[in-house]
Amino acid sequence: ECLKLLFEHHGSTSLADGGAKKATLIFTGTLGALRTNAQFAAYGAGRSSVRMLAQSLAKEFSEKGVHVVHAIANGGIGDEEGEQQKKGARMSAEAVGRTYLWLSGQGVELWTHELDLRPALEKF
């Protein structure tokens, strides 16, 4: 329904036919979308389904001007700009927001479809 409303307001002309980029849809996921630990199978199944949804929507709606992104937020995100953020142990909400704004500003000549976000000290 949301995409239907989007196309009603912004038109449904495809990029190939001269249509413009209409929106950026960002799904925030976790590392569980890629791999999980023992006893976390249900969690991994749920997280990977969000990733598959993002990929499917990207394949369906990219040509219609909708940029779809799956962002993997691997680590804690805090509202404050505290010591944890300053030393790279935790992501700040401000930094995540700046990244999402950057994603939404991408032109049709290059779209990021998957992005791994993590603080500098997060273990791989």
Side-chain angles (χ1 to χ4, degrees):
E1 288 299 310
C2 292
L3 288 172
K4 182 179 175 184
L5 184 62
L6 175 81
F7 293 128
E8 284 177 15
H9 288 273
H10 298 283
S12 58
T13 305
S14 71
L15 295 174
D17 292 331
K21 177 181 177 181
K22 295 164 185 67
T24 300
L25 179 60
I26 303 173
F27 291 88
T28 303
T30 67
L31 191 58
L34 303 176
R35 62 181 179 270
T36 61
N37 291 323
Q39 301 180 7
F40 286 89
Y43 176 76
R47 298 319 308 164
S48 63
S49 67
V50 173
R51 182 177 185 232
M52 295 301 110
L53 174 64
Q55 289 180 353
S56 178
L57 290 173
K59 290 176 182 179
E60 184 175 354
F61 292 106
S62 286
E63 66 183 23
K64 296 177 182 175
V66 179
H67 177 195
V68 183
V69 181
H70 180 253
I72 298 170
N74 191 23
I77 302 171
D79 287 337
E80 71 285 344
E81 291 290 334
E83 209 48 45
Q84 295 286 60
Q85 286 82 2
K86 289 177 185 173
K87 66 182 183 182
R90 190 171 189 177
M91 292 181 274
S92 72
E94 179 70 26
V96 173
R98 283 193 308 269
T99 301
Y100 283 14
L101 188 59
W102 171 75
L103 288 166
S104 71
Q106 289 184 329
V108 298
E109 68 279 3
L110 180 114
W111 281 355
T112 300
H113 288 289
E114 190 157 70
L115 185 63
D116 189 352
L117 307 168
R118 62 180 68 229
L121 298 180
E122 182 70 25
K123 301 286 186 221
F124 282 77

